[in-house]
Amino acid sequence: MTIRIGVMSFAHTHAIGYLSALQAMDGVEVRGSDPDGVSIGPSVGELRGRDLAEALGVAYADTHDELLAWRPDAVVVTSENARHRELVELAAAAGAHVLCEKPLATTWEDGLAIRDAVERAGVLLMVAFPVRFSSAFAKLRAAHDAGALGQLFAIRGTNNGMLPRTRDWFTDPALSGGGAIVDHVVHIADMLEGLMGAAPGTVTAVANRTLHAGRARAETAGLVTITYDNGVIAAIDCSWSKADTSAVWGGLTLDVAGTGGTVSLDFFGPAARGFAAETGLPIEARYGADLDEAMLATFVDAVRTGVQPQPDVRVGLRTLSIVLAAQESVRTGQTVAVDSVTPTPGPDDVSAAVPPSA
């Protein structure tokens, strides 16, 4: 059965990889729409709108309404973070399942509105957290579930990358919701959710704009410490600290300590490294499974079967709650209780019992 998938907005650089991966999938017809996109250069990473679609050989709709009139079975939302609610609500109202780029939203109000929109429409929503689809993470979960690590007590994660250069909205808090904390904390928070299913209790965070001080309008480095209701303390190092001349965009690591032992993972470590003869700058070719492809395959399968995939909207809300608490901690200089930044209008809110992620 062929299914139709639309990509709404090419604002996020991940749209490039998603369009290419979907285009290559058997039984998938893909079409994009990026009405506000303006190309800033000739390279693929600088293209937007119809220019990018034509470069990738993907069908294009001039407006989101035109895209939804095509009656897609599902859409991928890769807009600026602050526009996720708007586009998810449009897609849900049209009856399309949704894969939403992380973070789910930039405010708690918008996150709850997204949850309500998909539940009201009866469509599936999955949040784009590709790292949890790595084989290394699957092995970590299996070891933890089998009791091989004993009782967990501390976790350290790092997610460091380049300052986004072809999408300057990343450093505009009005569109991104913040800086490195918003961009990088959620990936590790999602893995901790998938690993433990524990509820975050308090968050203590510090941040600065020392790196890229003349280019960024939001924090470019931060350290976020989270306490969980199972006793685990997690520290997340998030920054846009990779140099513009770095051989790779960034990386993500996780160290998990338990009474039975410690596991250290480098999710993007496998690579062939060297130096360019022309410039002397480092070059690096990473290898291994494409995590975006694995995530998209899970989403496509969910669209076909109607079975809710993970991470779902409640995971998106839980990871958002950590970001909002971290931002409040940076603002006040105090440790912040997560439930103090997540007002609960009803018993279905994420602050109620949330089962561990599948």
Side-chain angles (χ1 to χ4, degrees):
M1 177 183 74
T2 298
I3 63 172
R4 294 178 171 184
I5 298 183
V7 177
M8 300 179 76
S9 177
F10 305 159
H12 201 295
T13 51
H14 287 172
I16 300 170
Y18 297 166
L19 285 164
S20 298
L22 289 168
Q23 179 83 332
M25 285 185 179
D26 293 333
V28 173
E29 186 178 352
V30 63
R31 185 170 298 188
S33 178
D34 186 34
D36 301 320
V38 177
S39 300
I40 61 172
S43 69
V44 171
E46 296 171 318
L47 298 179
R48 291 282 304 271
R50 184 177 291 278
D51 293 337
L52 178 59
E54 290 180 350
L56 299 177
V58 173
Y60 186 74
D62 289 318
T63 67
H64 294 317
D65 287 341
E66 181 184 339
L67 180 69
L68 294 174
W70 178 56
R71 299 181 64 83
D73 299 288
V75 302
V76 182
V77 172
T78 41
S79 66
E80 300 89 345
N81 299 339
R83 296 190 62 204
H84 287 176
R85 173 182 176 176
E86 169 194 347
L87 298 187
V88 170
E89 288 179 335
L90 283 174
H97 302 299
V98 179
L99 174 64
C100 183
E101 185 56 60
K102 59 79 187 171
L104 180 67
T106 58
T107 69
W108 192 244
E109 177 186 9
D110 282 359
L112 294 182
I114 287 173
R115 180 202 64 185
D116 293 345
V118 297
E119 290 185 352
R120 184 167 55 247
V123 299
L124 307 175
L125 184 139
M126 178 181 176
V127 185
F129 286 126
V131 184
R132 75 151 59 196
F133 293 91
S134 70
S135 60
F137 184 65
K139 292 175 182 176
L140 173 65
R141 287 183 60 177
H144 172 259
D145 293 346
L149 301 180
Q151 180 179 344
L152 301 186
F153 57 85
I155 298 176
R156 180 179 62 192
T158 68
N159 191 355
N160 310 129
M162 288 182 178
L163 182 75
R165 290 177 291 175
T166 62
R167 301 292 196 270
D168 61 2
W169 65 264
F170 273 95
T171 66
D172 180 357
L175 295 174
S176 63
I181 287 177
V182 171
D183 197 30
H184 286 167
V185 166
V186 287
H187 277 298
I188 295 174
D190 169 64
M191 285 193 290
L192 301 190
E193 173 75 19
L195 179 66
M196 304 185 299
T202 65
V203 175
T204 308
V206 292
N208 61 44
R209 293 174 57 190
T210 302
L211 295 169
H212 311 293
R215 298 165 60 189
R217 288 164 282 180
E219 79 280 353
T220 52
L223 181 64
V224 177
T225 303
I226 312 161
T227 64
Y228 285 87
D229 65 358
N230 63 350
V232 168
I233 300 172
I236 300 175
D237 167 14
C238 55
S239 71
W240 287 321
S241 55
K242 290 289 186 180
D244 290 346
T245 55
S246 172
V248 293
W249 61 266
L252 191 150
T253 67
L254 200 63
D255 296 284
V256 181
T259 56
T262 300
V263 175
S264 296
L265 300 175
D266 182 349
F267 290 92
F268 298 98
R273 299 175 175 86
F275 295 90
E278 299 83 359
T279 64
L281 293 174
I283 55 175
E284 185 169 311
R286 288 176 170 173
Y287 54 88
D290 187 314
L291 304 186
D292 287 347
E293 289 182 1
M295 177 186 69
L296 289 167
T298 297
F299 178 64
V300 168
D301 184 63
V303 173
R304 288 198 167 105
T305 63
V307 177
Q308 174 65 56
Q310 293 295 334
D312 62 10
V313 68
R314 282 171 169 72
V315 176
L317 284 169
R318 189 113 88 178
T319 54
L320 173 61
S321 74
I322 292 171
V323 168
L324 295 175
Q327 291 176 324
E328 180 67 7
S329 179
V330 170
R331 188 185 70 82
T332 63
Q334 304 293 318
T335 295
V336 173
V338 171
D339 59 11
S340 71
V341 297
T342 56
T344 56
D348 291 334
D349 192 79
V350 72
S351 62
V354 180
S357 303

